[in-house]
Amino acid sequence: MKPAIRVTVWNEFLHEKENEAVRRVYPLGLHQAIAEGIRQEGVEVRTATLEEPEHGLTEEVLNETDVLIWWGHKAHGRVEDAIVDRVQERVLQGMGLIVLHSGHYSKIFKKLMGTSCSLKWREVGEKERIWVVDPAHPIAEGIGQYVEIPHEEMYGEHFDIPKPDELVFVSWFEGGEVFRSGCTYHRGLGKVFYFRPGHETYPTYYNPDVLRVISNGVQWAAPRHGATPVYHHTLPLEEIRSTK
Ligand code: ZN
């Protein structure tokens, strides 16, 4: 039997403590809703939050994490650089990373992308239709032509990210904007998936299709590697006769 994929869902977990409207939607926090929604056979899920020691992302936790899911919004600046460096290092070594919604402005995403990751936004609760533009991609498995979310925050282009390795979803919003809402990247040995929906005042992380996409993302981003790369000076495998 294949070993279970170990997932850590990270949430800054502040809106839920400070805002009654958010608490009504996610009484135990966004991270718990996501964790419950993606827990299945073959996937072990734990959570971590900003106000835990080392933001819950200790060496031990990261060593036992195959895929890290990241939701943050109002406190990106409170995430310590040492922890960001630690997460980046683990991604380069092969840990998968799924960045959700306002995580586009997190230190870790900006560091891995190298661009401003800025975008347009508007919060009036308009309709979002997330179109599958790469139906053969494993992250789109089991999803129809599109996922419709009745009320969401709008994110619009231009989204200042590097050109994605693969574009899986493009969102349309009722107000007329479009957005590259499902983007994949490789960084070192690690795989990164950015997925747009999930404003804290809407029940988006209970939507079965949204959870299916995140679950598919976990399967896609989980490390599945061959040999660990070897760098620096190296001895020849065969005898070399043509040296001077
Ligand atoms: Zn938002």
Side-chain angles (χ1 to χ4, degrees):
M1 213 177 81
K2 271 203 320 197
I5 299 174
R6 301 161 301 175
V7 178
T8 301
V9 181
W10 190 89
N11 177 18
E12 67 180 21
F13 194 29
L14 295 178
H15 288 290
E16 300 91 328
K17 292 177 189 163
E18 296 164 8
N19 182 338
E20 175 58 33
V22 178
R23 197 157 49 238
R24 256 196 313 259
V25 184
Y26 296 107
L28 303 175
L30 279 151
H31 52 301
Q32 293 296 348
I34 296 167
E36 283 311 305
I38 64 168
R39 192 169 277 128
Q40 55 181 292
E41 203 175 320
V43 179
E44 285 171 11
V45 189
R46 75 206 297 175
T47 64
T49 57
L50 177 75
E51 292 183 334
E52 293 171 44
E54 302 181 50
H55 311 320
L57 299 174
T58 61
E59 296 276 5
E60 296 70 39
V61 168
L62 289 181
N63 286 342
E64 293 169 1
T65 299
D66 297 311
V67 179
L68 178 63
I69 297 177
W70 194 280
W71 196 100
H73 177 224
K74 62 194 287 185
H76 296 313
R78 283 177 57 193
V79 179
E80 283 176 36
D81 291 338
I83 307 295
V84 177
D85 291 347
R86 183 185 287 169
V87 172
Q88 182 203 22
E89 191 180 310
R90 289 286 299 117
V91 170
L92 298 180
Q93 290 166 351
M95 181 181 74
L97 178 69
I98 299 178
V99 175
L100 298 173
H101 188 60
S102 39
H104 73 91
Y105 252 167
S106 61
K107 285 183 181 177
I108 183 60
F109 190 61
K110 290 200 290 188
K111 187 168 184 126
L112 287 164
M113 296 297 110
T115 54
S116 75
C117 301
S118 290
L119 47 77
K120 283 196 189 75
W121 63 274
R122 173 174 61 238
E123 218 298 82
V124 296
E126 66 207 90
K127 187 195 290 185
E128 174 178 13
R129 199 173 283 132
I130 306 170
W131 286 93
V132 176
V133 296
D134 187 354
H137 198 285
I139 293 178
E141 190 178 349
I143 303 296
Q145 288 192 76
Y146 57 82
V147 178
E148 198 164 282
I149 303 187
H151 304 287
E152 253 294 351
E153 180 182 17
M154 184 282 293
Y155 280 4
E157 297 284 345
H158 176 242
F159 183 18
D160 184 24
I161 46 172
K163 190 174 171 187
D165 293 345
E166 297 156 315
L167 182 60
V168 187
F169 302 105
V170 170
S171 284
W172 165 91
F173 291 89
E174 205 172 343
E177 289 84 0
V178 295
F179 189 76
R180 287 168 290 169
S181 54
C183 303
T184 72
Y185 297 91
H186 287 72
R187 289 293 182 269
L189 298 185
K191 284 176 261 176
V192 179
F193 173 49
Y194 174 79
F195 188 45
R196 196 217 77 87
H199 187 68
E200 66 273 7
T201 53
Y202 303 113
T204 300
Y205 294 126
Y206 300 108
N207 179 306
D209 281 334
V210 168
L211 292 168
R212 174 96 197 228
V213 169
I214 298 171
S215 285
N216 288 347
V218 164
Q219 297 291 332
W220 172 83
R224 231 176 270 119
H225 303 128
T228 305
V230 177
Y231 300 111
H232 306 307
H233 182 257
T234 192
L235 295 170
L237 298 178
E238 315 290 341
E239 187 187 347
I240 300 170
R241 298 196 180 87
S242 54
T243 53
K244 280 195 275 190

